[in-house]
Each structure stands twice: as structure tokens, then as C-alpha cells.
Amino acid sequence: MTARIGVVTFPGSLDDRDTQRAIRVAGAEPVALWHKDKDLKQVDAVVLCGGFSYGDYLRAGAIARFSPVMDTLIDQAKAGLPVLGICNGFQILTEAHLLPGGMLGNDHLHFICRDQKLRVENAGTAWTSDYTAGQEIRIPLKNMDGRYVADRRTLDELEAEGRVAFRYLDMNPNGSLNDIAGITNAAGNVVGLMPHPEHAVEPLIGTGRTDGLPFFTSILKKLVNA
């Protein structure tokens, strides 16, 4: 049976089609989910893709968090459904309190778009098992509100529990505390990161590398072996 991975589209989503393609390249079946529907169509995992949901009014991800689909998604994620939040999706996950901390505007107050070097810190999540801890990868980064912040106690907990999933290398592109590029929840089924792995799954697009593909092969292997 082919694993089915849902991709939620909000008003202002930009990367839903790219994410669906990445899922297809990995060998799973992408399933389009609409923000107004509470039905997740019995998918095995969900990706919240990048973009500017609801124009990023109020705060990035703040309105999308209250979309009908999120009511179901929050309950399912707490019950163990694998969820990946990419860029705006990461922002939505923090607004929904599925991941701790929050996202603020880049410290230099400019939109950034570049190939970004990362270090994999946690290869034990549902979305990172095809990486190895300490592996260095390069995938595209594009954001205006990408600065990860949290109080000191939360940061200490994330570090102590190994829940920093990815860290920026060579440069901190947005002022994120502790150079954090992505984190995971305690159970390892919910992961959020600012860079865009869906843009690095084929040699002809993005960085010209496939460093982002293991996100999607990782979840596929987990679902197949579950």
C-alpha cells in the first residue's frame, strides 16, 4: 500500500505544488488538503508548506492556526500523526503550540533567499531518520520572519533533550537564537524548520543537490515499516 501524505493549502501558500512533487519523487502519494476542511482524508502524515498564509497579517501563521483543518491536525498530531512544517508551516506549528517558541522578523529586517548550509542535529525523528547526526547539508532558505526565539528555559530544554533538529552553519541568516534552524517535539513526530527541503529533491532544481529528499524518504520508510 502506498503511503499517503497530505499537503495543506492555505490562502497565500506558495510551495504546496513543490511539496507534492517532492513527496511523489520520494515514492509516496501526495494528497491535497484544503484549509477549510476538517477532513484529513485518512492520510498517514501531513506537511504544512511554505508561503505567506493569509498574507502573514497579524503575525506569520497566526491566522492559519485557526483554520478548520488545524482543529483536526492538532488533535491528530498530539495522538502521533507525523507532521512537518516548512517555513510558514513551522510558524504555524509554533502558533498552534505543537512546537515551542515563536518566529519573529529577521534581525536585519530584510527578506532573505539563499542556499543555506545546515547541520543535522537529530536524526531520530520521523522526518530525519535518513540523515545521520552531524551530517552537513545545503538546502534553500527564503523568509522574512525566520528568527526563532524562545525563553531561556525553553532553549535549555530543547538543547538538553536533543530537540534541536537542525542548526545553521557558516552564518546565522536571520538571528535565530542558538543558530536554530529547526526543532522537533518530544515525541519526534512533529518537526518544523525554516529552510525548504522540497526545493532540493532533484539535481535540476534548487541547489542542484538532493539534500532535501531524505525528509520525504524518512517518513516514507517510517510509514511503510510501521
Side-chain angles (χ1 to χ4, degrees):
M1 183 177 69
T2 303
R4 303 172 74 248
I5 302 177
V7 179
V8 179
T9 298
F10 299 92
S13 293
L14 298 180
D15 300 305
D16 43 352
R17 297 296 181 89
D18 301 68
T19 304
Q20 290 175 26
R21 179 174 178 81
I23 291 167
R24 194 175 293 112
V25 169
E29 176 188 351
V31 178
L33 301 176
W34 184 236
H35 73 111
K36 284 189 175 181
D37 299 329
K38 289 190 175 184
D39 182 11
L40 296 184
K41 300 181 181 179
Q42 297 181 321
V43 296
D44 303 301
V46 171
V47 180
L48 300 179
C49 65
F52 302 91
S53 58
Y54 294 92
D56 277 349
Y57 291 112
L58 299 183
R59 218 173 32 250
I63 300 176
R65 176 262 176 271
F66 292 101
S67 288
V69 71
M70 291 301 296
D71 291 339
T72 306
L73 183 64
I74 290 170
D75 289 341
Q76 294 279 335
K78 290 179 179 178
L81 179 74
V83 179
L84 175 65
I86 302 171
C87 195
N88 191 230
F90 185 14
Q91 295 161 345
I92 294 169
L93 290 176
T94 62
E95 291 289 336
H97 303 298
L98 288 174
L99 291 174
M103 312 300 300
L104 296 178
N106 298 340
D107 60 352
H108 45 71
L109 303 180
H110 294 287
F111 182 86
I112 188 169
C113 183
R114 68 186 307 272
D115 291 343
Q116 179 64 48
K117 191 175 182 181
L118 307 174
R119 182 171 62 240
V120 180
E121 302 283 24
N122 186 331
T125 79
W127 298 92
T128 60
S129 62
D130 262 4
Y131 293 110
T132 57
Q135 182 177 350
E136 296 182 4
I137 63 175
R138 190 179 298 273
I139 59 178
L141 173 74
K142 50 177 186 174
N143 64 70
M144 181 68 190
D145 300 294
R147 177 162 51 114
Y148 180 76
V149 296
D151 60 69
R152 177 49 55 187
R153 179 178 179 180
T154 298
L155 288 172
D156 289 344
E157 288 179 354
L158 290 173
E159 297 287 0
E161 296 172 7
R163 290 170 53 195
V164 175
F166 298 90
R167 213 179 299 269
Y168 296 116
L169 287 184
D170 293 346
M171 68 168 291
N172 186 323
N174 44 37
S176 293
L177 297 180
N178 291 23
D179 297 328
I180 290 174
I183 61 175
T184 178
N185 67 343
N189 65 302
V190 179
V191 172
L193 78 161
M194 286 309 297
H196 288 259
E198 78 279 12
H199 295 326
V201 298
E202 296 177 289
L204 293 179
I205 61 173
T207 60
R209 299 156 59 120
T210 59
D211 290 4
L213 187 58
F215 276 89
F216 305 100
T217 57
S218 293
I219 189 60
L220 178 57
K221 290 179 180 179
K222 176 176 177 58
L223 295 173
V224 169
N225 294 327

